[in-house]
């Protein structure tokens, strides 16, 4: 019986299942506000508070606000507040690990839909070269530094309050998310101060880049996402993990060729057991595309919840008994 | 009187055919009758080889035949463009002798035989064009020698390091170029539809091989290693639909055999993983000696068998270029050919085969003159020693001599494995 259930799960059409999960989470988190659903403000994904209908919001905004408190208050009792905020964030995070990106984040899902649109139009995706990839992949840490350092500088009085929530001002989610509930009011440049002009103008540019970028490149924005960088710090402690048994890996590169994030290690690293990398969105497409038994597996604690299998691979890639000849 | 005037003198081609038929039928008869209970479904393969190599029957008169010098030319693309891939690697001693006049004394017999075969112009299913991936030195040079016989040979650039990103890019481009070249020669375009259909069909053929391999993991092994070599060898030239149908029959027969625990070897026969230079029909010299010495080959790591079928293609968006890139990656990155700078992947594969098939030892055969396999022998032996896996290294060629010397060594190795197994209990 157990074997049967396992086989059933390992044979699923992951792309379909994922599409429906993403649609559900998208509706839940983007429009949940209409149904008075609220998961709080410490969620580990880009469900943006600027969209007033969000059912729970992104942790980066409260984090920036908390860190921007005057230094003496922050170092006093208020520090506990920051810590509790962080713990709440980590609490949410450990359940899904980076699957928050691949299955729940509305901004991620939106990019997948843009990808779907491109696919329907018959346009091929673009990729980075390995060199570009390595350089671009670091940007998210720079953005994470902005999320943390800018508020601290405000706190010590080094820069003015117009820098408050600076990251949010340049984040494309601020402009894109409210659009989901028909609110286009974020698409403006704030002329109140020079800083505001610069930040909101940058935001506008990044949002435009976001739309164009994610049309041509799969999960364009996720490479730069500071949330993804923050995730990675805690990813080892999550209860779900992506693991690999390198002894059976043949390096065929199937996992790499389906990876939206172009993570090379997934195919080439045969020594690490924990194969989750900082760019990973835990979409599990690699597991679904692996043609070897049990080489890649998605674990809940130490239980293999979804494993690569030959049979599952053949089903998903349409390699079962063919019906016609080639040139029909 | 008439018998004196009517006599005919055998032409060189006739003699070559006769010699090849002798070599072929000897092996086929051994497989048919020399072992206990070959599967009934094997009859298709015995007959196929007999028809092609003893009766010179052409299989693909109506199709464009695309010769390939190595496994790195994606057959998926050839099938998609309505061609038939014919792998030109050759195992005949008669052809090896012809090739010996054209290549250095110490060259690899496989290369000599392949060159000799094409030099003789006596080729059934003669390839209309030949693609030659630049793998090992001898194969690379063989391409231009074959060109001088009047064949159209196109080199397909192939990198010899596979870890670097440059190599990946390089081979992807190389395969794109190959596709474009073949496409223009065939006057047909690669489309999403025809390429996907070809990938699916090859994928299905591979899945049949995987099923057959799976059966060999059992304690009771339902098929001889030599029969498996024949099955995979047929993939070099057979009509793919016939091959698939024959394999389906074989799979269902073996399924039955596994249920009935039919074992084609003895109860204490050691289980062997075979690796090294590829056994190509009818050069089953070493595999036959192994299975004649009361051992059974349960798996192999060679390019005439496992390496052809093991790795498969996955594609995300199924656009033509995605498929080509993924094909290129598979043919380069997963390849365990010893021409590459590093040998780690091949060693890992051998160890994994030993573990998964519960093997007692490894037999590593290298053709005398097959430099890359000879060179790698050391690192593989070291790795096996580290893992505590028994291994025998032997050198051989295509000549019918050596039988005594080889069988003595193989028998001694098999005996030692038996003793080891007995002591374990």
């Amino acid at each position: 019986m157990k074997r049967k259930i396992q086989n059933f799960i390992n044979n699923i059409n992951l792309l379909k299942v994922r599409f429906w999960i993403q649609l559900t989470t998208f509706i839940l988190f983007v429009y949940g506000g209409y149904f008075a659903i609220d998961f709080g403000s410490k969620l580990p994904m880009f469900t943006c508070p600027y969209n007033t209908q969000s059912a729970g919001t992104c942790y980066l905004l409260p984090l920036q606000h908390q860190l921007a408190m005057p230094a003496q208050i922050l170092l006093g009792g208020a520090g506990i507040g920051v810590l509790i905020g962080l713990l709440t964030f980590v609490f949410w995070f450990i359940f899904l690990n980076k699957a928050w990106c691949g299955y729940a984040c509305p901004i991620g899902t939106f990019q997948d839909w843009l990808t779907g649109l491109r696919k329907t139009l018959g346009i091929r995706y673009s990729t980075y070269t390995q060199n570009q990839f390595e350089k671009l992949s670091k940007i998210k840490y720079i953005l994470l530094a902005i999320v943390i350092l800018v508020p601290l500088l405000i706190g010590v009085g080094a820069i003015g309050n117009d820098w408050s929530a600076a990251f949010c001002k340049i984040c494309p989610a601020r402009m894109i998310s409210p659009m989901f509930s028909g609110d286009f009011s974020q698409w403006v440049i704030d002329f109140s101060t020079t800083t505001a002009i610069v930040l909101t103008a940058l935001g506008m540019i990044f949002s435009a880049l976001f739309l164009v970028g994610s049309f041509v490149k799969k999960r364009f924005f996720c490479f730069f996402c500071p949330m993804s960088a923050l995730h990675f710090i805690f990813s080892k402690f999550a209860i779900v993990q992506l693991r690999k048994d390198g002894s059976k890996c043949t390096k065929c590169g199937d996992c790499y060729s389906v990876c939206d994030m172009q993570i090379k290690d997934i195919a080439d690293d045969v020594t690490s057991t924990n194969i989750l990398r900082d760019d990973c969105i835990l979409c599990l497409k690699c597991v679904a595309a692996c043609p070897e038994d049990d080489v890649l597996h998605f674990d809940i604690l130490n239980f293999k919840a979804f494993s690569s299998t030959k049979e599952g691979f053949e089903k998903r890639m349409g390699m079962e008994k063919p019906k016609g000849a080639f040139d029909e | 009187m008439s018998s004196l005037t009517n006599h005919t003198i055998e032409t060189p081609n006739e003699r070559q055919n006769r010699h090849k038929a002798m070599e072929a039928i000897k092996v086929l008869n051994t497989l048919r009758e020399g072992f206990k209970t070959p599967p009934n479904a094997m009859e298709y393969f015995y007959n196929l080889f007999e028809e092609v190599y003893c009766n010179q029957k052409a299989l693909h008169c109506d199709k464009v035949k695309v010769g390939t010098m190595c496994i790195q030319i994606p057959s998926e693309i050839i099938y998609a463009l309505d061609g038939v891939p014919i792998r030109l690697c050759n195992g005949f001693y008669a052809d090896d002798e012809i090739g010996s006049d054209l290549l250095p004394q110490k060259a690899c017999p496989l290369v000599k035989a392949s060159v000799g075969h094409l030099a003789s112009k006596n080729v059934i299913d003669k390839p209309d064009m030949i693609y030659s991936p630049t793998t090992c030195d001898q194969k690379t040079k063989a391409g231009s020698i074959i060109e001088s016989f009047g064949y159209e040979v196109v080199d397909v650039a192939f990198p010899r390091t596979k870890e670097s990103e440059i190599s990946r890019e390089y081979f992807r481009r190389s395969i794109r170029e190959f596709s474009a070249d073949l496409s223009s020669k065939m006057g047909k375009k690669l489309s999403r539809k025809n390429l996907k259909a070809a990938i699916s069909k090859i994928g299905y053929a591979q899945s049949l091989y995987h099923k057959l391999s799976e059966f060999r993991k059992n304690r009771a092994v339902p098929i001889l290693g030599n029969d498996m070599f024949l099955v995979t060898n047929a993939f070099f030239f057979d009509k793919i639909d016939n091959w698939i149908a024959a394999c389906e029959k074989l799979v269902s027969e073996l399924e039955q055999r596994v249920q009935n625990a039919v074992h084609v070897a003895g109860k204490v026969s050691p289980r062997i993983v075979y690796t090294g230079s590829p056994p190509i029909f009818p050069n089953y010299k070493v595999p036959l000696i192994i299975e004649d010495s009361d051992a059974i080959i349960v798996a192999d790591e060679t390019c005439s068998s496992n390496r052809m079928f093991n790795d498969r293609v996955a594609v995300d968006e199924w656009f033509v270029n995605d498929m080509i890139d993924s094909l290129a990656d598979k043919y380069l990155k997963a390849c365990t050919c010893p021409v590459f700078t590093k040998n780690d992947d091949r060693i890992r594969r051998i160890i994994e085969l030993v573990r998964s098939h519960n093997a007692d030892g490894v037999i590593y055969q290298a053709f005398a003159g097959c430099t890359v396999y000879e060179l790698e022998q050391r690192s593989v032996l070291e790795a096996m020693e580290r893992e505590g896996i028994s291994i025998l290294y032997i050198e051989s060629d295509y000549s019918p001599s050596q039988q005594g010397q080889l069988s003595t060594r193989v028998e001694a190795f098999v005996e030692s494995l038996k003793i080891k197994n007995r002591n374990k209990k």
Side-chain angles (χ1 to χ4, degrees), chain A residues 271, chain B residues 342-352 354-355 362 376-391 420:
Chain A
T271 45
Chain B
K342 292 219 174 69
N343 194 21
D344 307 349
D345 289 344
R346 185 163 162 249
I347 291 171
R348 276 189 313 115
R349 174 81 52 88
I350 297 169
I351 295 171
E352 152 49 28
V354 169
R355 303 266 183 263
V362 176
E376 269 201 358
Q377 175 256 122
R378 214 176 129 255
S379 67
V380 173
L381 257 58
E382 270 171 13
M384 293 306 128
E385 200 175 336
R386 226 177 16 247
E387 296 288 324
I389 298 167
S390 309
I391 183 166
K420 218 167 136 189

Side-chain angles (χ1 to χ4, degrees), chain A residues 124 218 246 250 254 264 314, chain B residues 165 311-312 316 322 348:
Chain A
R124 200 191 178 213
K218 294 189 270 184
T250 68
D254 283 357
K264 213 179 154 198
E314 284 154 19
Chain B
E165 194 56 27
D311 299 292
R312 292 183 271 186
D316 190 25
D322 290 338
R348 276 189 313 115

Side-chain angles (χ1 to χ4, degrees), chain B residues 330-349:
Chain B
K330 179 194 95 169
Y331 281 95
L332 172 74
K333 302 288 285 183
C335 185
T336 45
C337 183
V339 295
F340 296 111
T341 48
K342 292 219 174 69
N343 194 21
D344 307 349
D345 289 344
R346 185 163 162 249
I347 291 171
R348 276 189 313 115
R349 174 81 52 88

Side-chain angles (χ1 to χ4, degrees), chain B residues 11 27 60 68 100 146 155 244 258 274 278-279 319 343 365 388 416:
Chain B
T11 63
V27 172
H60 308 287
T68 60
S100 295
I146 289 165
D155 289 330
I244 286 177
V258 168
Y274 184 97
F319 289 118
N343 194 21
Q365 184 228 202
S416 77

